[in-house]
Amino acid sequence: MMRRFLVLCLVVLTALSAPVWAQDTSLGPDYDQWTQLADRAEGVIDAERASDPAFETLRAQIAEYREQFRAATGTNAARIETLRAQIVALGPVPEDGSPEPDAISSQRTDLGARLAEAEAPGRRAEAELRRAQGLIGEIDRLLASRQAGALLTLQPSPINPANWPGAITAVFSYLNSLANENLRLWSSPIYQEEFSENLPLVLLYLLVGMVLILRGWRWVGRMMRGPVEQEESSPTARLSVFFLSIAQHGLPALGVIALAQAVEESSFVGLRGSVILAAIPQIAITVAAAIWIGRQVFPARETAARPLNLPEVKLARGRRAAGWLGLLMGVSQLVDAIAESEGFQPAERLVIFFPLVILTGLFLARLGRFLVLHAKAQSDLEDPASLRTRVFGLIGRAVLLLGFAGPVLAGVGYFTAGSSFLFPAVLSLSLLALLGVLQRLVANVYGAFTGRQEGLDEALTPTLIGFLLTLASVPVFALIWGMRQAQLADLWEQLILGFDLGGVHISPRSFLSFAIVFVVGYTATRLIQSTLRNSVLPKTKLDAGGRNAVVTGTGYVGIFLAALVAITVAGIDLSSIAIVAGALSVGIGFGLQAIVSNFVSGIILLVERPIKEGDWIQIGTTAGYVREISVRSTRIETFDRSDVIVPNADLISGVVTNMTHHNATGRVIVPVGVAYGTDTRQVETILKEVAEAHPMVLLTPPPNVIFQGFGADSLNFEIRAILRDVNWMLSVKSDMNHEIAKRFAEAGIEIPFAQRDIWIRNPDALKTTAALTGAETEEDGDDTDAPPQEEQT
């Protein structure tokens, strides 16, 4: 089980590279050999007697032919396309039975025969490709059923005392054979002579191994002191600590490997000893990796990032549990290799493995409990709990359950099921921890390059890279939980080749082609827009609104053309898209009616230009300046500097007052009231002089002073003048009012204010009421010292 984990990366690379390793198909498939292989495969599948490795070998052979057939389906593709075009150029065959000219008829017959001959290799390859895919599917289903059956197979129970004597005898027999083998080698003059010859090399390996084991950790620890002091504030220091920690854990593992190599070079190693020595490097790497991951997840340094919210005692126990799990995984690999080489009986193997399964389950359950405790601690701090916290809680409970269920299933006799749940759970938990460590590494690298020290986990770039790492880990998780390498290779090949969706072939190649062409077209469109906006259009006579309409329209056209060219280059059939668009037209008509209406209205605004950016408009009760016209809506900045987003359809269908549509000139009206008895001609003269004296007022046409009429309190006049720029209307009004007040004061003209006379019909009743109120106040006696109320009239 552990061996699979150590070669997962190699397995993934093998799966990803499988299509590249397909054999040369330039000469075409050998159909005779393929027929023999296919017939033999059908017989083996029907008999169901071959072993799993034999089925895997047979499947690999069929897969090689499948690649040849897939390549052969495109034989004569260009010639076939040409012949079909020639046949289409001849026109359809007359349907009314009328004779066709002999020249055209003979040419049509000749082209048909040539087309059938050109299509024959591809059609045969297509047929055999279907047969190969069918055989591979049958083998996959057969192996899957065997795998499922193995999980439900009841095996000898390791807790049954009847199975213990055989296991104990097998262990002691193996130890006795190993000791006798070593003694025989030690006493052999030949091996003693080889040892003498290799003694310098053996001593060198021993020296290197002992130095790395005893001093390597301390050497790297001294180098880490400086970066550790700056770890909290510097991403660069965290990167240094990260890589030094790898070296700190890797050097002792290299020391163990050197010691194993020293034993190997001593020549005193037999068959049984070679099995142990072959497993020692993997055990050393596994233990070192487990301890390193444990110290990353359960750090001992106070300055290190702590992924889990746990007290120091729990963190220390977590580190120990991770180390023990690594050791147990390595030992289980060694025991598996020994049992395989010695040919232990199934019952003996299960009894020997069972203590390892129990210990693995206990330590795994402890890690699951720590995850649950972390989720509870985070839930107390978060209200409500975040998705990350809930995921930690679910993973912790699942790991806790598997930690107890694995040994129980193995103990009652379902050993394959128990170990198949337990050991993959350990590997999956290790991979999840490694993903978290790599995510933190990416964030620190991003911080080191950008100089950013805070908020690295929330930055977009590290988040996207972490998402890609998670996607890349999916095949590894699939392999851990039992997916076969061949199945993974097929999935990857299917992804590379693509699939058909609604008559459109979608593949990574077509997607990349579409993305690259569209990005290039989009970039070119933005460059053209920038050139028009900054270099070309300012030299024309177009106003700002017209220039903006040209730039925006260029953007729409450019993006449309970029999408059209990208779709064509990607090889997507537009007719299929048209069919899909037609099917969706009803839904668009109802569900997206408002959006489509606003989009069309936005185009109309850009073409007809009833309003443009910078115009002063009023729609309903909203008045302000047009700041931006987009595809769906228009942004209006009101005079109190707030933005109002108006749908474009409202601007087309509604009534819009544009104060500055053609030009900035506009009329201002200043109302003025004077007291009755004032010389109206004098008022008219003063008002006209005030209007004509203002620099913003146009003299052609001249301003007018209108005597509007006799109001309730005043004689009402109005100044009506045309301004050079209507945007200054309020300022002009204010200036005129200041000047009018000054001139009226100099001329002694009164500006009246509203007055009202109140007549009381029955004053006697009012006096009686006041007297009664005063009597009640005197009887009350509480406010006799209050000051008298001021009389109001």
Side-chain angles (χ1 to χ4, degrees):
M1 184 66 67
M2 193 59 201
R3 184 181 295 110
R4 289 175 55 196
F5 177 68
L6 294 176
V7 298
L8 279 179
C9 295
L10 180 60
V11 168
V12 173
L13 292 176
T14 303
L16 299 184
S17 305
V20 181
W21 292 352
Q23 65 184 50
D24 185 15
T25 59
S26 58
L27 300 178
D30 188 336
Y31 288 100
D32 294 335
Q33 291 185 2
W34 158 247
T35 302
Q36 296 176 6
L37 176 63
D39 293 341
R40 181 167 61 88
E42 290 177 351
V44 172
I45 292 173
D46 293 338
E48 297 186 5
R49 294 179 180 178
S51 62
D52 290 354
F55 270 120
E56 292 287 359
T57 303
L58 182 61
R59 187 189 188 281
Q61 294 174 354
I62 297 174
E64 290 181 2
Y65 276 100
R66 181 185 61 182
E67 299 305 320
Q68 297 181 38
F69 296 143
R70 182 176 283 116
T73 54
T75 304
N76 301 328
R79 184 176 301 174
I80 291 172
E81 196 68 27
T82 302
L83 292 172
R84 287 177 178 174
Q86 289 180 281
I87 294 175
V88 172
L90 294 177
V93 178
E95 298 180 357
D96 55 359
S98 59
E100 190 176 25
D102 295 337
I104 296 179
S105 178
S106 61
Q107 188 178 7
R108 188 188 303 277
T109 303
D110 179 62
L111 290 176
R114 291 168 59 188
L115 178 62
E117 183 181 357
E119 289 179 341
R123 290 182 176 178
R124 183 176 183 183
E126 181 70 24
E128 299 302 332
L129 174 63
R130 296 290 181 261
R131 185 181 185 186
Q133 289 176 337
L135 291 174
I136 290 175
E138 291 183 29
I139 293 175
D140 288 339
R141 286 189 292 271
L142 179 60
L143 293 178
S145 63
R146 286 187 177 183
Q147 188 175 11
L151 294 177
L152 301 177
T153 300
L154 185 63
Q155 298 170 295
S157 174
I159 61 177
N160 185 359
N163 297 324
W164 295 356
I168 296 174
T169 301
V171 171
F172 279 103
S173 175
Y174 170 75
L175 294 177
N176 184 43
S177 300
L178 179 63
N180 292 332
E181 180 183 75
N182 291 331
L183 290 175
R184 186 174 63 256
L185 294 174
W186 274 101
S187 60
S188 173
I190 298 176
Y191 290 105
Q192 291 178 0
E193 183 178 355
E194 290 184 3
F195 174 72
S196 301
E197 295 177 356
N198 297 333
L199 183 59
L201 186 59
V202 172
L203 294 177
L204 178 61
Y205 277 121
L206 286 175
L207 179 61
V208 172
M210 295 302 295
V211 170
L212 292 178
I213 293 174
L214 299 177
R215 306 297 299 178
W217 183 280
R218 295 183 181 179
W219 288 344
V220 180
R222 293 174 184 173
M223 298 171 62
M224 292 175 60
R225 292 177 183 175
V228 166
E229 295 176 356
Q230 303 176 358
E231 187 175 12
E232 292 182 338
S233 59
S234 174
T236 305
R238 290 195 288 269
L239 287 176
S240 301
V241 172
F242 176 83
F243 291 110
L244 288 174
S245 67
I246 296 177
Q248 190 176 38
H249 291 78
L251 290 181
L254 291 177
V256 174
I257 295 175
L259 293 180
Q261 188 64 30
V263 177
E264 181 74 22
E265 295 295 335
S266 68
S267 301
F268 296 117
V269 179
L271 295 177
R272 294 178 177 84
S274 62
V275 173
I276 299 176
L277 289 179
I280 285 179
Q282 297 179 359
I283 295 175
I285 294 175
T286 301
V287 174
I291 295 175
W292 179 77
I293 293 177
R295 294 179 72 87
Q296 295 294 318
V297 179
F298 306 96
R301 303 186 310 275
E302 296 181 356
T303 57
R306 301 196 173 188
L308 302 180
N309 185 8
L310 295 173
E312 292 293 339
V313 176
K314 303 295 183 183
L315 292 177
R317 293 178 180 176
R319 291 192 295 271
R320 290 195 293 269
W324 278 108
L325 279 176
L327 180 61
L328 290 171
M329 297 293 286
V331 172
S332 65
Q333 177 189 1
L334 175 61
V335 173
D336 188 20
I338 293 174
E340 186 71 23
S341 63
E342 295 296 321
F344 289 168
Q345 296 298 319
E348 299 170 353
R349 298 181 64 173
L350 299 182
V351 172
I352 296 172
F353 263 104
F354 190 60
L356 300 177
V357 170
I358 294 177
L359 293 176
T360 302
L362 291 177
F363 285 113
L364 182 64
R366 172 170 289 186
L367 292 182
R369 181 170 173 270
F370 291 156
L371 292 178
V372 173
L373 292 177
H374 162 74
K376 290 182 179 179
Q378 287 295 110
S379 300
D380 295 337
L381 299 176
E382 302 170 353
D383 188 20
S386 63
L387 176 62
R388 180 185 179 90
T389 300
R390 294 197 296 270
V391 169
F392 267 106
L394 291 176
I395 294 176
R397 293 182 180 88
V399 170
L400 192 62
L401 176 62
L402 292 175
F404 287 110
V408 171
L409 289 175
V412 298
Y414 294 99
F415 196 92
T416 302
S419 59
S420 298
F421 292 145
L422 190 64
F423 291 103
V426 176
L427 300 179
S428 299
L429 200 61
S430 303
L431 185 55
L432 287 175
L434 183 60
L435 286 175
V437 173
L438 292 178
Q439 175 66 34
R440 194 162 65 241
L441 172 64
V442 170
N444 290 328
V445 172
Y446 175 78
F449 275 99
T450 60
R452 183 175 175 179
Q453 297 183 359
E454 297 180 357
L456 296 177
D457 294 336
E458 289 77 17
L460 178 60
T461 301
T463 302
L464 292 178
I465 296 177
F467 177 72
L468 294 178
L469 289 175
T470 303
L471 288 181
S473 67
V474 172
V476 183
F477 279 111
L479 289 172
I480 289 175
W481 287 97
M483 176 175 280
R484 300 181 356 260
Q485 301 176 23
Q487 288 179 306
L488 186 61
D490 283 349
L491 289 177
W492 175 255
E493 185 178 2
Q494 184 65 35
L495 179 63
I496 293 298
L497 295 176
F499 54 92
D500 293 330
L501 181 62
V504 178
H505 184 74
I506 299 177
S507 65
R509 178 185 175 185
S510 60
F511 177 78
L512 288 177
S513 301
F514 174 84
I516 292 173
V517 174
F518 181 77
V519 169
V520 171
Y522 181 83
T523 304
T525 301
R526 292 307 183 195
L527 291 176
I528 294 174
Q529 285 183 294
S530 178
T531 304
L532 291 174
R533 183 185 297 109
N534 300 323
S535 301
V536 178
L537 294 179
K539 299 177 182 179
T540 63
K541 296 181 179 180
L542 291 175
D543 57 6
R547 294 196 294 268
N548 178 70
V550 172
V551 171
T552 305
T554 303
Y556 292 158
V557 174
I559 292 175
F560 174 76
L561 292 178
L564 186 62
V565 174
I567 290 173
T568 304
V569 172
I572 300 176
D573 188 3
L574 294 179
S575 61
S576 301
I577 295 179
I579 295 175
V580 176
L584 295 177
S585 60
V586 177
I588 293 175
F590 288 98
L592 304 178
Q593 182 177 6
I595 295 177
V596 174
S597 175
N598 289 324
F599 177 78
V600 175
S601 299
I603 300 229
I604 294 174
L605 290 176
L606 292 175
V607 174
E608 294 187 356
R609 296 177 59 206
I611 63 172
K612 57 184 180 296
E613 289 187 8
D615 282 355
W616 173 10
I617 68 171
Q618 179 170 353
I619 173 171
T621 59
T622 302
Y625 294 102
V626 177
R627 294 307 185 193
E628 182 182 0
I629 302 176
S630 62
V631 177
R632 190 195 65 84
S633 61
T634 297
R635 180 170 64 89
I636 300 175
E637 181 182 330
T638 62
F639 298 115
D640 57 359
R641 294 297 186 269
S642 62
D643 288 340
V644 178
I645 309 300
V646 180
N648 290 332
D650 294 347
L651 297 174
I652 295 298
S653 60
V655 177
V656 180
T657 303
N658 194 333
M659 306 293 184
T660 57
H661 181 45
H662 294 294
N663 50 59
T665 59
R667 187 176 70 174
V668 64
I669 298 178
V670 182
V672 180
V674 298
Y676 277 91
T678 306
D679 186 354
T680 57
R681 293 298 179 182
Q682 182 183 11
V683 172
E684 181 180 4
T685 301
I686 293 174
L687 294 179
K688 192 167 186 179
E689 291 176 353
V690 169
E692 292 176 347
H694 199 284
M696 192 62 69
V697 175
L698 293 177
L699 299 181
T700 303
N704 292 327
V705 177
I706 308 299
F707 184 11
Q708 285 284 56
F710 303 94
D713 305 302
S714 62
L715 302 174
N716 297 327
F717 291 81
E718 279 186 358
I719 298 177
R720 296 188 178 185
I722 303 299
L723 302 182
R724 303 178 189 276
D725 192 344
V726 74
N727 294 298
W728 296 88
M729 179 184 294
L730 293 178
S731 178
V732 171
K733 274 189 175 184
S734 178
D735 294 342
M736 286 187 179
N737 285 330
H738 281 296
E739 188 64 21
I740 289 170
K742 176 183 176 183
R743 295 287 299 276
F744 279 7
E746 293 174 354
I749 298 175
E750 179 183 357
I751 299 177
F753 52 86
Q755 298 183 11
R756 297 292 182 268
D757 293 333
I758 300 176
W759 294 84
I760 302 176
R761 295 182 178 180
N762 49 352
D764 295 336
L766 182 61
K767 291 180 180 180
T768 304
T769 304
L772 293 176
T773 304
E776 292 176 357
T777 303
E778 292 178 358
E779 292 177 0
D780 201 8
D782 292 334
D783 51 355
T784 55
D785 296 334
Q789 297 292 324
E790 182 179 354
E791 184 177 351
Q792 298 181 358
T793 60

